[in-house]
Amino acid sequence: MYIVIVYDVSAERVNRVKKFLRQHLHWVQNSVFEGEVTRAEFERIKAGLRELTDEEEDSLVIYKLRSMPEREVLGVEKNPLEDII
């Protein structure tokens, strides 16, 4: 499955969340990651995010898609997907 994760977390946790997500997904722009994952990896990502965040203060949105969607970028592409080997 292809997922997109968008987050808004407390400043004290943002670097840990970003570092964790960079291990699993492609960083697209501030607070946005995406990538193809297996069901097992998806569950590991969710479990890791639950440990790193506070459900009372932080917000994470996960979009699950069947495959990589067509992308259209208006403006500057911060971290092009073509850079992935």
Side-chain angles (χ1 to χ4, degrees), residues 4-28:
V4 177
I5 298 180
V6 180
Y7 63 90
D8 182 7
V9 300
S10 172
E12 62 199 34
R13 288 183 287 280
V14 72
N15 286 332
R16 284 181 281 165
V17 170
K18 182 178 178 182
K19 183 178 180 180
F20 172 77
L21 287 173
R22 286 188 109 155
Q23 295 172 12
H24 301 279
L25 300 167
H26 179 71
W27 175 70
V28 178

Side-chain angles (χ1 to χ4, degrees), residues 24-82:
H24 301 279
L25 300 167
H26 179 71
W27 175 70
V28 178
Q29 58 180 225
N30 294 342
S31 303
V32 181
F33 284 81
E34 63 183 60
E36 188 78 34
V37 297
T38 64
R39 169 70 61 192
E41 187 173 17
F42 177 65
E43 294 302 325
R44 283 193 299 274
I45 290 169
K46 286 195 314 184
L49 289 172
R50 282 191 180 106
E51 290 179 18
L52 293 171
T53 59
D54 181 342
E55 290 186 15
E56 299 293 318
E57 293 182 28
D58 302 326
S59 174
L60 292 101
V61 179
I62 302 173
Y63 297 94
K64 297 189 295 184
L65 307 160
R66 293 181 193 265
S67 62
M68 182 177 175
E70 184 176 330
R71 298 174 82 236
E72 182 175 344
V73 177
L74 303 176
V76 177
E77 177 85 20
K78 297 237 180 186
N79 199 11
L81 290 174
E82 295 79 37

